[in-house]
Amino acid sequence: MSTWPAYAKINLCLEVLGRRRDGYHDVLTILQTVALHDTLTFEPADDITLTCSDPRLAGESNLALRAACLLQRTSGAQQGAAIHLEKGIPAGAGLGGGSSDAAVTLLALSPLWGLHMTEANLENLAAVLGSDVPFFLRGGTALAEGRGEKLTPLPSLPEHWVVLVRPPLEIPDKTTLMYAYLTPREYTAGTVTRHMARAIQEGKELSPGMIFNTFEWVAFRHFETVDNVRQRVVEAGADHVRLCGAGPALYAIFREEAPARALYQRLQEDELEVCLTRTVEGKPSPAREIGAEQMTG
């Protein structure tokens, strides 16, 4: 049996450049893994099965299950695996939990099944599963282009502390809906994201004022709950509150632990669903320490 953490992500910058002929959108984004994670365990078995701490997520659409079936089908592997997914990352919040689970499944089952998959092989399979999945094979800090699958690794950031807040809101078909809300006036040229990428490459301090997310324009306008929670986080002491991916989760980032922890404690007192976490570098591995970070509230 092997046990792996599947880390969440935040978008340090996210610009939508425009709609493509294939119906997708071109984006330019800087992704960063954080220590909040799901936990997956893998055991050899005759068939591929998946159980989950949240039974609602254990169906055929689960990305970890789809990743296992895709790897078995494309590699010709005869083995199966009993997979258990312990959820720590809120589902549908913009934190990439499903994509991270899929990437970890590819990384874990390749050696378990005795496959000799190259990094390029795994990246190709990851891209079939979803735009964010290739990033989670590597983790750390990266610039993503195209639909999000074209990656350029960036130098590791110094450790930052992140306060994550999940508004009490479920948005069915969220990503599709959020893209549908965008109009050409929200499209940008990628200038802000490229400026941040250069700053990271040059080792400059990451300023919260550099952070930008196209989806904030529509999330705060169309979802009053998200905007109300954002305002509560600001009132609790955060200077900059940003959307995670297409939302609805929000985050504030800090260079030092003390102000992040103080904000976290105030938000707990305000009975919000909140997590104090930190940035992490490098790809997931069963050898990495697994903490008990989770959303509370």
Side-chain angles (χ1 to χ4, degrees), residues 35-226:
L36 177 67
H37 61 271
D38 292 342
T39 302
L40 292 104
T41 56
F42 302 88
E43 294 188 71
D46 293 333
D47 301 310
I48 295 174
T49 60
L50 173 76
T51 56
C52 182
S53 59
D54 183 346
R56 297 172 300 172
L57 304 178
E60 293 182 358
S61 63
N62 185 283
L63 274 174
L65 183 61
R66 288 172 55 195
C69 293
L70 178 65
L71 181 62
Q72 185 190 59
R73 185 169 65 251
T74 56
S75 68
Q78 300 300 308
Q79 306 96 316
I83 306 169
H84 178 70
L85 169 59
E86 192 72 25
K87 287 297 293 180
I89 304 170
L95 295 166
S99 295
S100 188
D101 296 339
V104 161
T105 298
L106 295 176
L107 290 170
L109 292 185
S110 180
L112 184 68
W113 289 346
L115 305 177
H116 300 286
M117 304 292 289
T118 66
E119 189 173 285
N121 291 151
L122 292 178
E123 288 176 355
N124 289 336
L125 293 178
V128 171
L129 293 161
S131 300
D132 282 346
V133 181
F135 164 71
F136 286 106
L137 294 174
R138 307 182 185 191
T141 315
L143 176 71
E145 303 176 73
R147 292 189 292 114
E149 81 285 5
K150 300 175 183 176
L151 295 170
T152 302
L154 294 172
S156 298
L157 288 179
E159 184 178 71
H160 283 68
W161 290 83
V162 181
V163 178
L164 296 169
V165 186
R166 185 191 185 195
L169 178 67
E170 301 286 342
I171 307 175
D173 299 319
K174 177 204 63 185
T175 302
T176 300
L177 181 64
M178 293 297 285
Y179 274 109
Y181 279 143
L182 290 177
T183 65
R185 70 184 180 204
E186 277 93 43
Y187 299 154
T188 51
T191 306
V192 178
T193 305
R194 294 194 186 281
H195 173 72
M196 178 183 282
R198 284 195 299 272
I200 293 173
Q201 287 168 334
E202 294 168 2
K204 294 180 180 178
E205 186 77 13
L206 178 65
S207 165
M210 294 179 181
I211 299 173
F212 174 82
N213 186 334
T214 294
F215 287 110
E216 291 175 4
W217 285 335
V218 294
F220 299 150
R221 187 166 69 240
H222 287 278
F223 298 100
E224 184 178 359
T225 299
V226 180

Side-chain angles (χ1 to χ4, degrees), residues 11 15 98 200 249:
N11 298 75
E15 292 182 78
I200 293 173

Side-chain angles (χ1 to χ4, degrees), residues 8-12 30-34 135-136 139-142 155-158 162 200 253 278-281:
K9 61 83 180 168
I10 58 174
N11 298 75
L12 296 175
I30 296 176
L31 299 159
Q32 172 65 56
T33 41
V34 296
F135 164 71
F136 286 106
T141 315
S156 298
L157 288 179
V162 181
I200 293 173
I253 189 167
R278 63 199 185 284
T279 56
V280 294
E281 299 304 324

